[in-house]
Each structure stands twice: as C-alpha cells, then as structure tokens.
Amino acid sequence: MELRRLGRTDIRVSAVALGVMTFGSKTPEEDAFRQLDMAFAAGINLFDTAENYPAPVLAQTQGRSEEILGRWIASRGVRSRVLVATKVAGPGNAAGDMTHIRGVDRRLDRANIIAAVDGSLRRLGTDYIDLYQVHWPERPITTLRRSHFSHIPDAPTLVPVEETLSALGEVVAAGKVRNIGVANETSWGVMHYLALAHERGLPRIVTIQNSYSLLDRQFEAGLAEIAMREQVGLLAYSPLARGLLTGKYLDANQSVPGRDRFSQRRLSATAAYVDLANRHGLQPAIMALAFARQKPFMTSVLMAASDVAQLEGNLRSLDVSLAKELLKEIDALHEQSPNPR
C-alpha cells in the first residue's frame, strides 16, 4: 500500500481509506468487523467516521459507526497502528433531522466542539483522535452541491471561523486531537482557515474531505491548486458517485432501487465511462477508483462498502495504474460532459 504524507506532518496515511458510514445500519457489526479486517490486511491505516453516522441519520442509531470502529480497534489491539478520523456536525440538518445531536443549538462554537470531541472519544473508546474534521461549514454560502453560485446573508448569530478554529486548537492542546481538517469546504473557506492559523498561531488544517469522482471534478477548479501548494490534501468521498460509476444503474429495462435519483445527463456520462473502461479491459468501478487515487492532489480515496464482497472488489483497484493514453481519453469525455448533474 502506498503511503502519503498527511498535510505537513510526518504522519503517513494509506492512499486508500475506509469510510464506515454504513456501519450500524446497512452494515451489521459482524460484517463491519470483516470489512475492517480485510482493509487493515490490505494496508489501509486510515478509517473515517463521524459523530452523526451511520447513514441514514436516525436518533436511535446515531454514534454506532464510531462505537463499532472503536470496538474493532480494541479487539484487535491496533490503536497505535491505525489513524482514526471523525467529524463534528455543523448546524442545520444537512444530513437529515439531527436535532438529537445537541439539540437545535448545535453550532461550531467552543461548547459544541468540546462536547462533540468528548462524545466521539467516549464512543470510540480512545484517548485521542488522529484527524478531527468540521463536517460542513456553519456559514450558509456554498456552491458545492449547486450548478451556480448562491448567496445567503450571514445570520447575526453566525459563529465565525476564528471561534471554530480556536476551539479546535483547544482540543489539540489538550491532547484529545492530533490533527484537524475540514469537509465540504470551498476555496475561500480553506484559505480562511489557513490565514487564521498563520495569523493567530492556531493549528493548521491538514486535509479537506470533499466529493470527487469522474462525474464530479469540481475540486479541480481552485481547490486542487490550494491542496498542492498548501499541502492540504484531498480525502475524496463518493469516488463511485453513490454507486453510479459501477454501471449498475444503467439498464433502463431493470427496476433498480435508487435509479430515479440520477439525471439523464449523469446516466449518459456514466455510460460513456463504463464503455471506456470495458474497452480497456477494466471494471468500471476499478477504473474510477484508480483515476481518483492517481491525482497529485489526493491524500486518500475513501472507499465505503455495504458488504465484504463490495469492498473486496474495490480493493482490486490498488493493483491498477491507468496509462496516460487512458487518462487522456477520460479527460476528453470530461470535456464533453463536465460535472453532469
């Protein structure tokens, strides 16, 4: 397994990580343990979760993903050999109704961050978190999930990034967190975190966790340069575009659950990538995962599998390196249909 530098630290992380957002819901604990064993045996040392997981977000299951990961680490005695990444939930209900997590006043302020860190430490059964991430920004400006820019004025009660970063600095100083990162952020957000860290002597973010795949290369417009020049590497989630890039949703004659959530533009672009993979003798999912892994701004590609068989198939991408000619063909398809929605 290739190991890559985590930000500007001396920590080395596997080029592929395991996301455990289904553990405790779609993935029962016994199967989760098998996935974790398989990933660890393959050389994966980074395991990513969040305080609000598993998905779908429900009050009765909240925190189970962290608990399962923590029980696996303890049972295998591997705490010093793995890197645990988790996240603090921001305000609002971006991932469903989350009022069960610190109520309606859940913010990215000092009190919430300290409570969230302590809760995650307890569920994980550990004394420290290797990478603690802000799951999404507090401010209501985002272009991440839209095809155009939209602006909503800041609320008077908006918690400034400086307060969030100061609170993160406090948990780092206390030894509860080793490194910090952000997720679902914009170019302005990342640079603002970095500027504040420099100006105020606060911890520097080491990663950004955003969506990235053959169908979603928005990260390349601004954030990729920041990632490389500032050593704030990408942890890419949804590299298979919610399963679309496996090709399983393409047969219009089959009633596949979830197919209707994808637009015709996305389905058409996916069909082109699937055809390209087939012509090169590759499984579409393996081509998609290898493509993401080979990007120079990539720290680690997050794989998430609902079962062992799916993870086993995804791990085969570790042995694949895409040739320059194939990468050129991929770029040509991207030019024809960039970031289809």
Side-chain angles (χ1 to χ4, degrees):
M1 172 69 72
E2 179 189 357
L3 298 178
R4 298 174 178 177
R5 191 177 180 185
L6 182 68
R8 293 181 177 178
T9 74
D10 293 328
I11 298 172
R12 301 287 170 171
V13 303
S14 50
V16 169
L18 184 67
V20 305
M21 68 182 297
T22 64
F23 289 7
S25 58
K26 294 180 182 178
T27 307
E29 185 160 336
E30 183 179 354
D31 194 72
F33 270 45
R34 287 198 294 267
Q35 284 194 43
L36 290 161
D37 286 338
M38 181 181 293
F40 186 71
I44 289 176
N45 70 353
L46 177 61
F47 299 90
D48 180 78
T49 184
E51 66 168 337
N52 53 292
Y53 290 166
V57 176
L58 301 170
Q60 58 267 36
T61 59
Q62 184 259 324
R64 285 185 186 173
S65 296
E66 288 183 323
E67 292 169 353
I68 291 172
L69 177 59
R71 284 194 288 270
W72 175 80
I73 290 171
S75 69
R76 302 305 191 254
V78 294
R79 183 63 188 94
S80 63
R81 299 168 63 191
V82 299
L83 301 171
V84 175
T86 192
K87 312 177 195 75
V88 55
N93 295 315
D97 182 13
M98 300 201 317
T99 53
H100 54 278
I101 304 177
R102 294 185 299 285
V104 295
D105 293 325
R106 186 184 66 254
R107 310 289 295 283
L108 293 175
D109 57 14
R110 179 183 181 276
N112 272 277
I113 287 174
I114 290 175
V117 168
D118 289 344
S120 288
L121 288 170
R122 183 179 63 255
R123 287 186 293 271
L124 288 162
T126 186
D127 296 328
Y128 64 95
I129 295 164
D130 297 283
L131 177 62
Y132 197 64
Q133 304 154 96
V134 176
H135 208 155
W136 58 85
E138 171 136 343
R139 65 189 191 281
I141 301 174
T142 179
T143 58
L144 293 170
R145 299 184 186 279
R146 299 172 184 157
S147 58
H148 60 279
F149 177 83
S150 62
H151 172 71
I152 303 172
D154 292 345
T157 56
L158 179 76
V159 175
V161 172
E162 180 180 359
E163 181 175 345
T164 301
L165 187 56
S166 294
L168 292 171
E170 189 172 334
V171 293
V172 170
K176 297 177 180 181
V177 168
R178 295 177 69 190
N179 299 282
I180 62 170
V182 291
N184 299 299
E185 259 295 0
T186 64
S187 299
W188 180 88
V190 172
M191 291 306 297
H192 192 45
Y193 268 98
L194 293 174
L196 285 171
H198 178 73
E199 293 167 4
R200 311 294 167 87
L202 294 168
R204 200 173 191 276
I205 58 174
V206 298
T207 55
I208 173 173
Q209 185 174 151
N210 277 24
S211 171
Y212 186 80
S213 71
L214 289 168
L215 296 176
D216 181 7
R217 296 173 62 173
Q218 294 182 85
F219 191 87
E220 295 178 18
L223 277 167
E225 182 178 10
I226 294 172
M228 295 180 69
R229 291 186 183 276
E230 299 293 336
Q231 291 84 58
V232 181
L234 174 62
L235 301 181
Y237 71 79
S238 201
L240 295 179
R242 299 166 70 188
L244 187 53
L245 287 167
T246 64
K248 66 182 180 181
Y249 295 105
L250 292 181
D251 191 346
N253 296 318
Q254 289 187 5
S255 179
V256 181
R259 186 182 191 278
D260 292 342
R261 64 184 170 173
F262 300 115
S263 69
Q264 190 56 52
R265 285 191 68 227
R266 281 209 132 195
L267 290 168
S268 297
T270 298
Y273 287 118
V274 168
D275 178 67
L276 178 62
N278 290 335
R279 284 190 281 112
H280 284 265
L282 294 170
Q283 293 180 13
I286 287 178
M287 184 181 82
L289 291 167
F291 166 80
R293 194 189 75 245
Q294 287 179 225
K295 287 298 177 179
F297 47 77
M298 189 69 63
T299 291
S300 193
V301 179
L302 290 171
M303 292 181 178
S306 57
D307 55 51
V308 169
Q310 191 177 84
L311 177 61
E312 186 176 26
N314 290 345
L315 287 172
R316 296 193 190 104
S317 67
L318 293 172
D319 298 322
V320 174
S321 180
L322 305 185
K324 290 183 180 179
E325 289 306 314
L326 175 53
L327 292 173
K328 288 180 181 178
E329 292 184 71
I330 287 173
D331 284 343
L333 289 179
H334 174 67
E335 291 297 324
Q336 294 174 19
S337 183
N339 306 317
R341 294 182 175 274

